[in-house]
Amino acid sequence: HAITLVDAEGGTIVSQGNAEGASREVRLPVGNTGWTLVAQAPVQWLTRSGGRQVVAGLLTLAAVLLVLVAGMLRLRRAMLTDIVSTRDALAALGRDEPVPRIVPRYLEFQPAAADINLIALHLQEQRARLAHLSLTDPLTGLPNRRAFEGHFPQALGMAERQHPVALVMLDIDHFKRINDRYGHGVGDQVLQALAHSLKDLTRRADLAARLAGDEFAVL
């Protein structure tokens, strides 16, 4: 902050103040006198008010960055949750295990999640039907030999623990003669009638099964 009046030869006429170091300079001619008014001011990169503005700007920028980072982390966690649940569902499908239902958090995952849930539901229904068919005699609807052999160890264990268990083995007398005389259609009706009687005569806890041909068992 200095002001100086110089003549045409550059000599100082009057001066006030001092601007040391790097400075800004403004020169203004004074009318037709040939004199020049020189104003100087030191270069101030940051005033107090400017410093406050810079600090405020930096703090604002830091706050915005923190908000963005927090939002990105939250978005990442949610997306990872959807991806992990989808991966777990696909892995369960591959292992023939019950598939947990996928509930996506983002709309972008909903179509894929809906397809996977539908596929899982169909596969579970098919597995249930196949399991039922593998353990059921198709003609009589009774459990088959496989189901009987799977249930028998449990009954045997109960008998070893002094629980009363009874095993009834039965077949149809002269069943071959019925087939030969009346045909296999009538023979099938006889088997179905016996199976219906066994269902009516046994309790829910009992197991009536068709082992093979006209051989039946009740456990």
Side-chain angles (χ1 to χ4, degrees):
H1 299 96
I3 188 167
T4 305
L5 183 63
V6 297
D7 56 19
E9 287 76 19
T12 300
I13 299 175
V14 63
S15 177
Q16 183 177 357
N18 182 22
E20 297 180 353
S23 63
R24 294 176 298 169
E25 184 178 276
V26 178
R27 291 178 171 268
L28 297 175
V30 182
N32 296 323
T33 61
W35 294 356
T36 303
L37 185 65
V38 181
Q40 294 177 315
V43 177
Q44 295 182 354
W45 297 104
L46 194 63
T47 61
R48 180 175 297 178
S49 61
R52 286 196 297 266
Q53 292 176 356
V54 171
V55 172
L58 291 176
L59 291 177
T60 303
L61 179 61
V64 171
L65 290 176
L66 286 176
V67 171
L68 289 176
V69 170
M72 291 298 296
L73 290 177
R74 183 177 179 183
L75 175 64
R76 181 176 182 271
R77 283 197 300 268
M79 292 182 65
L80 285 178
T81 300
D82 288 345
I83 293 173
V84 169
S85 61
T86 304
R87 182 193 62 192
D88 292 343
L90 293 175
L93 281 176
R95 295 191 300 265
D96 290 337
E97 297 176 354
V99 180
R101 181 174 178 81
I102 305 175
V103 182
R105 298 187 179 185
Y106 287 93
L107 294 175
E108 290 77 5
F109 286 96
Q110 287 185 358
D115 292 340
I116 294 175
N117 290 332
L118 185 61
I119 293 173
L121 179 62
H122 288 334
L123 288 178
Q124 289 173 351
E125 291 175 350
Q126 291 179 0
R127 290 196 197 106
R129 286 195 296 268
L130 290 174
H132 177 73
L133 291 175
S134 68
L135 299 175
T136 304
D137 176 58
L139 177 62
T140 61
L142 291 177
N144 58 15
R145 185 186 189 94
R146 181 180 179 184
F148 179 82
E149 291 176 348
H151 189 73
F152 187 80
Q154 179 182 353
L156 186 61
M158 294 178 61
E160 292 174 350
R161 294 191 297 272
Q162 307 305 317
H163 290 280
V165 177
L167 173 63
V168 181
M169 305 292 294
L170 66 149
D171 60 9
I172 301 176
D173 293 341
H174 312 298
F175 183 68
K176 185 177 183 303
R177 188 183 305 172
I178 296 174
N179 280 332
D180 293 341
R181 182 173 181 180
Y182 300 103
H184 290 281
V186 174
D188 289 345
Q189 293 179 10
V190 172
L191 293 173
Q192 292 170 344
L194 177 57
H196 183 72
S197 298
L198 290 177
K199 291 178 183 178
D200 290 340
L201 294 172
T202 53
R203 303 164 300 178
R204 181 177 299 178
D206 300 332
L207 178 69
R210 182 190 179 192
L211 301 183
D214 64 334
E215 298 177 358
F216 292 80
V218 180
L219 186 62

